[in-house]
Amino acid sequence: MKRKLLAAFLCAAMVVTMGAAGCGGSSNEASTDDTAAEESAAEDTTDAAEEESGDDAAAEESDGGVITVGFSQVGAESDWRTANSESMKNTFSEENGYKFIFDDAQQKQENQITAIRNFVQQDVDYILLAPVTETGWDTVLQEAKDAGIPVIIVDRMVDVSDDSLYTAWVGTNPLLEGRKAGEWLKAYAEAHNIEELNIADIQGTIGSTAQIGRTQGLEEAAEKYGWNIVVQQTGEFTQAKGQEVMESILKQYDNINVVYCENDNEAFGAIDAIEASGKTVGPDGDMLVISFDSTNAGLTDVLSGKIICDVECNPLHGPRAEELIKKLEAGEEIEKENYVDGEIFAHGTDVESVTIEGTEYPVTEVTEDVIAERAY
Ligand code: GZL
Ligand code: ZN
């Protein structure tokens, strides 16, 4: 809205200039009353411009106040992503006063870049970006900035040369998530006198901040506690790839006793592969499976013990993104980085809590009631 208004104002200003120059005549031909008429026309436009731009939000309200939001979503690779998309669609609905343009990039960055360019062409009011990987965004975010369209990063983070290329970010801290899992595993191994940990790390989408942080959390713990990370391979946050990678790992190694899956869908695939090979998972099994996301299906596996620990990564960012947009609409200051914390869920009560950099995080034992109360 703001941009269109400016264009109208500039046109009016040009009309005044042209008028004075006398379309069809030289500047000194325009009669006095013509100039006066043009000036008052320009004044009207100027007043309109000041009024509208001065209080755009009200102006938006006055003409239906529909706020157009373009959302570039990673894809539909996991239960987490589905819950995230639903949260965004439910929040930016027509009845809530939005025109929501949703684009599924099928986990390809080039599709996200195309989507953002389309949003700029359509002159949306806000762009939401859930970036598949952290790098490669500078050029397209500069185009959005040049077009005066605020960009809010959702979930994973971007690594850009100039952080004025985005207005704000809302999401979770994957390094903290990885550290929570690492400390939980340390405490659990001690409680069960597990001397040797030979770990398979089924990683998320390589280069996404979710994968980078969770992998780092594991590697730090392995270094600190003398664990053996036997193999690291990406499962691309999907169940199919998680199963395929686990099948391959089982063929190559027979000493794995911990499988660190960087999201629930990889864990579902890995568990299928492990059980198909005749091995078992769980507190009394051949392998312990660690996971992230704490989706409903994930916590169901924690209840049975198939997943022994599941670190929450909350996907319900719709209301959080909307809160930022409402503040921007009202001209209020907003935080650049908006962190969302999560719980640690486990099978049984072996570990009460973990402490990371001086902060204690309680562990929640999964029961039917715990699952019943979950929002996703
Ligand atoms: C985490 C998010 C990850 C989830 C996966 O913040 O980016 O992407 O852990 C999802 O389930 O695919
Ligand atoms: Zn049990």
Side-chain angles (χ1 to χ4, degrees), residues 66-116:
V66 174
I67 297 175
T68 303
V69 176
F71 176 38
S72 170
Q73 177 60 297
V74 167
E77 71 282 4
S78 61
D79 293 23
W80 187 99
R81 190 64 54 191
T82 304
N84 177 252
S85 293
E86 268 167 35
S87 173
M88 305 297 269
K89 289 174 183 173
N90 294 341
T91 300
F92 296 105
S93 63
E94 210 174 318
E95 54 268 19
N96 287 346
Y98 298 96
K99 179 177 179 232
F100 191 55
I101 309 167
F102 177 90
D103 181 90
D104 173 337
Q106 278 117 43
Q107 296 215 74
K108 292 187 178 63
Q109 180 170 37
E110 63 267 23
N111 293 345
Q112 294 202 279
I113 291 171
T114 303
I116 292 168

Short mmCIF file of all heavy atoms in Angstrom, two decimals, residues 66-116:
data_model
loop_
_atom_site.label_atom_id
_atom_site.label_comp_id
_atom_site.label_asym_id
_atom_site.label_seq_id
_atom_site.Cartn_x
_atom_site.Cartn_y
_atom_site.Cartn_z
N VAL A 66 -6.73 -5.69 4.39
CA VAL A 66 -6.15 -7.01 4.16
C VAL A 66 -4.63 -6.89 4.07
O VAL A 66 -4.10 -6.06 3.35
CB VAL A 66 -6.69 -7.61 2.84
CG1 VAL A 66 -5.99 -8.93 2.54
CG2 VAL A 66 -8.20 -7.84 2.98
N ILE A 67 -3.94 -7.67 4.87
CA ILE A 67 -2.47 -7.68 4.83
C ILE A 67 -2.05 -8.92 4.05
O ILE A 67 -2.47 -10.04 4.35
CB ILE A 67 -1.88 -7.73 6.25
CG1 ILE A 67 -2.29 -6.46 7.01
CG2 ILE A 67 -0.37 -7.88 6.23
CD1 ILE A 67 -1.88 -6.44 8.47
N THR A 68 -1.27 -8.70 3.00
CA THR A 68 -0.83 -9.81 2.15
C THR A 68 0.51 -10.35 2.63
O THR A 68 1.47 -9.59 2.79
CB THR A 68 -0.71 -9.35 0.69
OG1 THR A 68 -1.98 -8.81 0.29
CG2 THR A 68 -0.35 -10.51 -0.22
N VAL A 69 0.51 -11.66 2.91
CA VAL A 69 1.72 -12.32 3.41
C VAL A 69 2.12 -13.42 2.44
O VAL A 69 1.31 -14.30 2.12
CB VAL A 69 1.46 -12.92 4.81
CG1 VAL A 69 2.68 -13.69 5.31
CG2 VAL A 69 1.07 -11.83 5.81
N GLY A 70 3.36 -13.38 1.98
CA GLY A 70 3.89 -14.46 1.13
C GLY A 70 4.79 -15.34 1.99
O GLY A 70 5.68 -14.83 2.68
N PHE A 71 4.53 -16.66 2.01
CA PHE A 71 5.32 -17.58 2.83
C PHE A 71 6.04 -18.61 1.97
O PHE A 71 5.38 -19.39 1.27
CB PHE A 71 4.41 -18.30 3.85
CG PHE A 71 5.10 -19.33 4.71
CD1 PHE A 71 6.39 -19.14 5.19
CD2 PHE A 71 4.45 -20.52 5.05
CE1 PHE A 71 7.04 -20.09 5.99
CE2 PHE A 71 5.08 -21.48 5.86
CZ PHE A 71 6.37 -21.25 6.34
N SER A 72 7.38 -18.59 2.01
CA SER A 72 8.16 -19.61 1.30
C SER A 72 8.51 -20.72 2.30
O SER A 72 9.36 -20.53 3.17
CB SER A 72 9.44 -18.99 0.73
OG SER A 72 10.29 -20.03 0.25
N GLN A 73 7.81 -21.84 2.16
CA GLN A 73 7.99 -22.99 3.07
C GLN A 73 8.97 -23.98 2.46
O GLN A 73 9.01 -24.18 1.26
CB GLN A 73 6.62 -23.66 3.32
CG GLN A 73 6.62 -24.93 4.18
CD GLN A 73 7.16 -24.73 5.59
OE1 GLN A 73 8.34 -24.38 5.75
NE2 GLN A 73 6.34 -24.96 6.60
N VAL A 74 9.78 -24.64 3.32
CA VAL A 74 10.81 -25.58 2.87
C VAL A 74 10.21 -26.67 1.98
O VAL A 74 10.68 -26.97 0.89
CB VAL A 74 11.47 -26.25 4.11
CG1 VAL A 74 12.31 -27.44 3.71
CG2 VAL A 74 12.30 -25.22 4.85
N GLY A 75 9.16 -27.32 2.52
CA GLY A 75 8.60 -28.47 1.79
C GLY A 75 7.56 -29.15 2.66
O GLY A 75 6.87 -28.46 3.42
N ALA A 76 7.48 -30.47 2.55
CA ALA A 76 6.52 -31.25 3.37
C ALA A 76 7.21 -32.55 3.79
O ALA A 76 6.64 -33.63 3.72
CB ALA A 76 5.25 -31.54 2.57
N GLU A 77 8.46 -32.42 4.23
CA GLU A 77 9.35 -33.57 4.46
C GLU A 77 9.08 -34.31 5.75
O GLU A 77 9.54 -35.45 5.92
CB GLU A 77 10.81 -33.10 4.41
CG GLU A 77 11.28 -32.26 5.59
CD GLU A 77 10.84 -30.80 5.55
OE1 GLU A 77 10.10 -30.41 4.63
OE2 GLU A 77 11.23 -30.06 6.47
N SER A 78 8.34 -33.67 6.69
CA SER A 78 8.24 -34.31 8.01
C SER A 78 6.95 -33.93 8.71
O SER A 78 6.29 -32.94 8.34
CB SER A 78 9.43 -33.87 8.87
OG SER A 78 9.39 -32.45 9.04
N ASP A 79 6.63 -34.66 9.78
CA ASP A 79 5.44 -34.32 10.59
C ASP A 79 5.60 -32.93 11.18
O ASP A 79 4.64 -32.17 11.28
CB ASP A 79 5.29 -35.33 11.75
CG ASP A 79 4.95 -36.73 11.26
OD1 ASP A 79 5.24 -37.04 10.09
OD2 ASP A 79 4.39 -37.52 12.05
N TRP A 80 6.83 -32.61 11.53
CA TRP A 80 7.12 -31.29 12.09
C TRP A 80 6.74 -30.21 11.07
O TRP A 80 6.07 -29.24 11.37
CB TRP A 80 8.62 -31.16 12.42
CG TRP A 80 9.01 -29.92 13.15
CD1 TRP A 80 9.22 -29.80 14.49
CD2 TRP A 80 9.22 -28.62 12.58
NE1 TRP A 80 9.57 -28.49 14.78
CE2 TRP A 80 9.57 -27.75 13.63
CE3 TRP A 80 9.16 -28.08 11.29
CZ2 TRP A 80 9.84 -26.39 13.45
CZ3 TRP A 80 9.42 -26.73 11.10
CH2 TRP A 80 9.75 -25.91 12.16
N ARG A 81 7.15 -30.41 9.84
CA ARG A 81 6.92 -29.41 8.77
C ARG A 81 5.41 -29.28 8.51
O ARG A 81 4.91 -28.16 8.34
CB ARG A 81 7.65 -29.84 7.50
CG ARG A 81 7.68 -28.81 6.40
CD ARG A 81 8.43 -27.57 6.73
NE ARG A 81 9.80 -27.81 7.19
CZ ARG A 81 10.56 -26.85 7.74
NH1 ARG A 81 10.06 -25.68 7.97
NH2 ARG A 81 11.78 -27.11 8.13
N THR A 82 4.70 -30.39 8.56
CA THR A 82 3.25 -30.35 8.37
C THR A 82 2.59 -29.52 9.46
O THR A 82 1.75 -28.65 9.19
CB THR A 82 2.67 -31.78 8.39
OG1 THR A 82 3.36 -32.55 7.39
CG2 THR A 82 1.18 -31.79 8.14
N ALA A 83 3.02 -29.74 10.70
CA ALA A 83 2.47 -28.97 11.83
C ALA A 83 2.81 -27.50 11.69
O ALA A 83 1.99 -26.62 11.97
CB ALA A 83 3.01 -29.53 13.15
N ASN A 84 4.02 -27.23 11.21
CA ASN A 84 4.44 -25.83 11.01
C ASN A 84 3.59 -25.16 9.94
O ASN A 84 3.08 -24.04 10.13
CB ASN A 84 5.93 -25.82 10.62
CG ASN A 84 6.47 -24.43 10.32
OD1 ASN A 84 6.74 -24.07 9.17
ND2 ASN A 84 6.60 -23.60 11.36
N SER A 85 3.36 -25.85 8.82
CA SER A 85 2.55 -25.27 7.74
C SER A 85 1.13 -25.02 8.19
O SER A 85 0.53 -23.97 7.91
CB SER A 85 2.56 -26.20 6.51
OG SER A 85 3.86 -26.24 5.95
N GLU A 86 0.56 -25.98 8.94
CA GLU A 86 -0.81 -25.83 9.43
C GLU A 86 -0.92 -24.62 10.35
O GLU A 86 -1.85 -23.82 10.26
CB GLU A 86 -1.26 -27.08 10.20
CG GLU A 86 -1.97 -28.10 9.31
CD GLU A 86 -2.12 -29.46 9.99
OE1 GLU A 86 -2.31 -29.47 11.24
OE2 GLU A 86 -2.01 -30.47 9.30
N SER A 87 0.09 -24.46 11.20
CA SER A 87 0.09 -23.32 12.14
C SER A 87 0.10 -22.01 11.36
O SER A 87 -0.64 -21.07 11.67
CB SER A 87 1.32 -23.41 13.05
OG SER A 87 1.44 -22.26 13.85
N MET A 88 0.89 -21.94 10.31
CA MET A 88 0.98 -20.70 9.52
C MET A 88 -0.33 -20.45 8.78
O MET A 88 -0.89 -19.34 8.79
CB MET A 88 2.14 -20.79 8.53
CG MET A 88 3.48 -21.11 9.15
SD MET A 88 4.06 -19.86 10.30
CE MET A 88 5.00 -18.84 9.19
N LYS A 89 -0.89 -21.51 8.16
CA LYS A 89 -2.13 -21.34 7.38
C LYS A 89 -3.29 -20.95 8.30
O LYS A 89 -4.10 -20.09 7.95
CB LYS A 89 -2.46 -22.62 6.62
CG LYS A 89 -1.52 -22.91 5.45
CD LYS A 89 -1.79 -24.28 4.81
CE LYS A 89 -0.80 -24.58 3.69
NZ LYS A 89 -0.94 -25.97 3.17
N ASN A 90 -3.35 -21.59 9.47
CA ASN A 90 -4.45 -21.27 10.41
C ASN A 90 -4.35 -19.84 10.93
O ASN A 90 -5.34 -19.18 11.19
CB ASN A 90 -4.45 -22.24 11.60
CG ASN A 90 -4.77 -23.66 11.18
OD1 ASN A 90 -5.32 -23.88 10.09
ND2 ASN A 90 -4.38 -24.63 12.00
N THR A 91 -3.13 -19.35 11.07
CA THR A 91 -2.94 -17.99 11.60
C THR A 91 -3.22 -16.94 10.53
O THR A 91 -3.97 -16.00 10.75
CB THR A 91 -1.49 -17.83 12.10
OG1 THR A 91 -1.25 -18.79 13.13
CG2 THR A 91 -1.24 -16.42 12.64
N PHE A 92 -2.63 -17.11 9.34
CA PHE A 92 -2.76 -16.08 8.30
C PHE A 92 -3.94 -16.40 7.39
O PHE A 92 -3.81 -16.48 6.16
CB PHE A 92 -1.44 -15.96 7.53
CG PHE A 92 -0.30 -15.46 8.40
CD1 PHE A 92 0.68 -16.34 8.85
CD2 PHE A 92 -0.27 -14.14 8.84
CE1 PHE A 92 1.70 -15.90 9.70
CE2 PHE A 92 0.75 -13.70 9.69
CZ PHE A 92 1.73 -14.58 10.12
N SER A 93 -5.08 -16.56 8.02
CA SER A 93 -6.31 -16.94 7.29
C SER A 93 -7.06 -15.68 6.85
O SER A 93 -6.82 -14.58 7.36
CB SER A 93 -7.21 -17.74 8.23
OG SER A 93 -7.59 -16.89 9.31
N GLU A 94 -7.99 -15.88 5.92
CA GLU A 94 -8.81 -14.78 5.42
C GLU A 94 -9.63 -14.18 6.55
O GLU A 94 -9.69 -12.97 6.74
CB GLU A 94 -9.76 -15.32 4.34
CG GLU A 94 -10.13 -14.29 3.29
CD GLU A 94 -10.94 -14.91 2.16
OE1 GLU A 94 -10.57 -16.03 1.72
OE2 GLU A 94 -11.93 -14.29 1.77
N GLU A 95 -10.20 -15.06 7.39
CA GLU A 95 -11.04 -14.50 8.48
C GLU A 95 -10.21 -13.72 9.48
O GLU A 95 -10.72 -12.86 10.17
CB GLU A 95 -11.89 -15.58 9.17
CG GLU A 95 -11.19 -16.78 9.73
CD GLU A 95 -11.13 -17.93 8.70
OE1 GLU A 95 -11.29 -17.66 7.50
OE2 GLU A 95 -10.87 -19.07 9.14
N ASN A 96 -8.90 -13.99 9.53
CA ASN A 96 -8.05 -13.21 10.44
C ASN A 96 -7.55 -11.93 9.76
O ASN A 96 -6.75 -11.19 10.34
CB ASN A 96 -6.85 -14.04 10.92
CG ASN A 96 -7.28 -15.11 11.93
OD1 ASN A 96 -8.39 -15.08 12.45
ND2 ASN A 96 -6.40 -16.08 12.17
N GLY A 97 -7.99 -11.72 8.49
CA GLY A 97 -7.65 -10.45 7.84
C GLY A 97 -6.44 -10.50 6.94
O GLY A 97 -5.81 -9.47 6.66
N TYR A 98 -6.09 -11.72 6.47
CA TYR A 98 -4.88 -11.84 5.63
C TYR A 98 -5.19 -12.42 4.27
O TYR A 98 -6.13 -13.21 4.11
CB TYR A 98 -3.86 -12.75 6.32
CG TYR A 98 -3.38 -12.22 7.65
CD1 TYR A 98 -3.98 -12.64 8.84
CD2 TYR A 98 -2.38 -11.25 7.73
CE1 TYR A 98 -3.57 -12.15 10.07
CE2 TYR A 98 -1.96 -10.75 8.96
CZ TYR A 98 -2.57 -11.19 10.11
OH TYR A 98 -2.17 -10.68 11.32
N LYS A 99 -4.35 -12.04 3.30
CA LYS A 99 -4.28 -12.78 2.04
C LYS A 99 -2.97 -13.54 2.14
O LYS A 99 -1.90 -12.93 2.26
CB LYS A 99 -4.28 -11.82 0.84
CG LYS A 99 -4.19 -12.56 -0.50
CD LYS A 99 -4.26 -11.62 -1.68
CE LYS A 99 -4.14 -12.39 -3.01
NZ LYS A 99 -3.09 -11.83 -3.87
N PHE A 100 -3.04 -14.89 2.18
CA PHE A 100 -1.86 -15.71 2.44
C PHE A 100 -1.46 -16.44 1.18
O PHE A 100 -2.25 -17.18 0.60
CB PHE A 100 -2.18 -16.72 3.56
CG PHE A 100 -1.02 -17.46 4.12
CD1 PHE A 100 0.08 -16.77 4.63
CD2 PHE A 100 -1.00 -18.85 4.17
CE1 PHE A 100 1.17 -17.45 5.17
CE2 PHE A 100 0.08 -19.54 4.72
CZ PHE A 100 1.17 -18.84 5.20
N ILE A 101 -0.21 -16.20 0.72
CA ILE A 101 0.29 -16.90 -0.46
C ILE A 101 1.33 -17.90 0.02
O ILE A 101 2.38 -17.52 0.53
CB ILE A 101 0.92 -15.91 -1.46
CG1 ILE A 101 -0.04 -14.75 -1.76
CG2 ILE A 101 1.28 -16.64 -2.76
CD1 ILE A 101 0.63 -13.60 -2.49
N PHE A 102 1.02 -19.21 -0.09
CA PHE A 102 1.87 -20.28 0.45
C PHE A 102 2.60 -20.95 -0.69
O PHE A 102 1.99 -21.34 -1.68
CB PHE A 102 0.98 -21.30 1.18
CG PHE A 102 1.69 -22.49 1.73
CD1 PHE A 102 2.19 -22.48 3.02
CD2 PHE A 102 1.88 -23.65 0.96
CE1 PHE A 102 2.86 -23.58 3.54
CE2 PHE A 102 2.55 -24.74 1.47
CZ PHE A 102 3.04 -24.71 2.77
N ASP A 103 3.93 -21.08 -0.57
CA ASP A 103 4.69 -21.77 -1.62
C ASP A 103 5.51 -22.90 -1.00
O ASP A 103 6.30 -22.66 -0.08
CB ASP A 103 5.64 -20.79 -2.35
CG ASP A 103 6.41 -21.51 -3.46
OD1 ASP A 103 5.93 -21.55 -4.59
OD2 ASP A 103 7.49 -22.07 -3.16
N ASP A 104 5.34 -24.14 -1.50
CA ASP A 104 6.09 -25.30 -1.03
C ASP A 104 7.28 -25.52 -1.96
O ASP A 104 7.10 -25.79 -3.14
CB ASP A 104 5.15 -26.53 -1.06
CG ASP A 104 5.87 -27.83 -0.74
OD1 ASP A 104 7.11 -27.91 -0.93
OD2 ASP A 104 5.20 -28.77 -0.30
N ALA A 105 8.49 -25.39 -1.46
CA ALA A 105 9.70 -25.41 -2.30
C ALA A 105 10.25 -26.81 -2.54
O ALA A 105 11.31 -26.97 -3.16
CB ALA A 105 10.78 -24.55 -1.66
N GLN A 106 9.57 -27.83 -2.05
CA GLN A 106 10.07 -29.22 -2.17
C GLN A 106 11.55 -29.34 -1.81
O GLN A 106 12.35 -29.98 -2.48
CB GLN A 106 9.87 -29.75 -3.60
CG GLN A 106 8.45 -30.27 -3.83
CD GLN A 106 7.73 -29.48 -4.88
OE1 GLN A 106 8.30 -29.15 -5.92
NE2 GLN A 106 6.49 -29.16 -4.60
N GLN A 107 11.92 -28.64 -0.70
CA GLN A 107 13.28 -28.72 -0.16
C GLN A 107 14.35 -28.21 -1.14
O GLN A 107 15.52 -28.59 -1.01
CB GLN A 107 13.62 -30.16 0.27
CG GLN A 107 12.75 -30.69 1.42
CD GLN A 107 13.49 -31.61 2.37
OE1 GLN A 107 14.30 -31.13 3.15
NE2 GLN A 107 13.23 -32.89 2.28
N LYS A 108 13.95 -27.35 -2.12
CA LYS A 108 14.95 -26.82 -3.04
C LYS A 108 15.11 -25.32 -2.88
O LYS A 108 14.12 -24.56 -2.99
CB LYS A 108 14.57 -27.15 -4.50
CG LYS A 108 14.63 -28.64 -4.84
CD LYS A 108 14.41 -28.85 -6.34
CE LYS A 108 14.52 -30.32 -6.72
NZ LYS A 108 13.42 -31.10 -6.02
N GLN A 109 16.32 -24.86 -2.63
CA GLN A 109 16.56 -23.43 -2.41
C GLN A 109 16.17 -22.61 -3.63
O GLN A 109 15.57 -21.53 -3.48
CB GLN A 109 18.02 -23.17 -2.06
CG GLN A 109 18.30 -21.68 -1.82
CD GLN A 109 19.66 -21.40 -1.25
OE1 GLN A 109 20.63 -22.07 -1.60
NE2 GLN A 109 19.74 -20.44 -0.34
N GLU A 110 16.43 -23.14 -4.84
CA GLU A 110 16.12 -22.32 -6.03
C GLU A 110 14.62 -22.05 -6.12
O GLU A 110 14.19 -20.98 -6.55
CB GLU A 110 16.64 -22.96 -7.31
CG GLU A 110 16.06 -24.31 -7.69
CD GLU A 110 16.92 -25.48 -7.17
OE1 GLU A 110 17.67 -25.27 -6.20
OE2 GLU A 110 16.80 -26.58 -7.75
N ASN A 111 13.82 -22.99 -5.61
CA ASN A 111 12.35 -22.75 -5.62
C ASN A 111 11.96 -21.67 -4.62
O ASN A 111 11.02 -20.91 -4.83
CB ASN A 111 11.60 -24.05 -5.30
CG ASN A 111 11.76 -25.09 -6.40
OD1 ASN A 111 12.17 -24.77 -7.52
ND2 ASN A 111 11.43 -26.34 -6.10
N GLN A 112 12.72 -21.63 -3.51
CA GLN A 112 12.43 -20.59 -2.51
C GLN A 112 12.80 -19.21 -3.06
O GLN A 112 12.07 -18.24 -2.88
CB GLN A 112 13.18 -20.87 -1.21
CG GLN A 112 12.67 -22.16 -0.51
CD GLN A 112 12.99 -22.20 0.96
OE1 GLN A 112 14.10 -22.54 1.34
NE2 GLN A 112 12.02 -21.86 1.80
N ILE A 113 13.92 -19.14 -3.76
CA ILE A 113 14.36 -17.87 -4.35
C ILE A 113 13.33 -17.40 -5.38
O ILE A 113 12.92 -16.23 -5.38
CB ILE A 113 15.77 -18.02 -4.96
CG1 ILE A 113 16.79 -18.20 -3.82
CG2 ILE A 113 16.12 -16.84 -5.85
CD1 ILE A 113 18.18 -18.58 -4.25
N THR A 114 12.83 -18.33 -6.21
CA THR A 114 11.79 -17.98 -7.19
C THR A 114 10.54 -17.48 -6.48
O THR A 114 9.94 -16.47 -6.88
CB THR A 114 11.45 -19.21 -8.05
OG1 THR A 114 12.65 -19.67 -8.67
CG2 THR A 114 10.40 -18.89 -9.10
N ALA A 115 10.16 -18.15 -5.41
CA ALA A 115 8.95 -17.76 -4.66
C ALA A 115 9.09 -16.35 -4.12
O ALA A 115 8.18 -15.51 -4.24
CB ALA A 115 8.70 -18.75 -3.53
N ILE A 116 10.26 -16.05 -3.56
CA ILE A 116 10.47 -14.71 -2.98
C ILE A 116 10.38 -13.66 -4.08
O ILE A 116 9.75 -12.60 -3.91
CB ILE A 116 11.82 -14.65 -2.24
CG1 ILE A 116 11.79 -15.54 -0.98
CG2 ILE A 116 12.17 -13.21 -1.84
CD1 ILE A 116 13.14 -15.76 -0.35
#
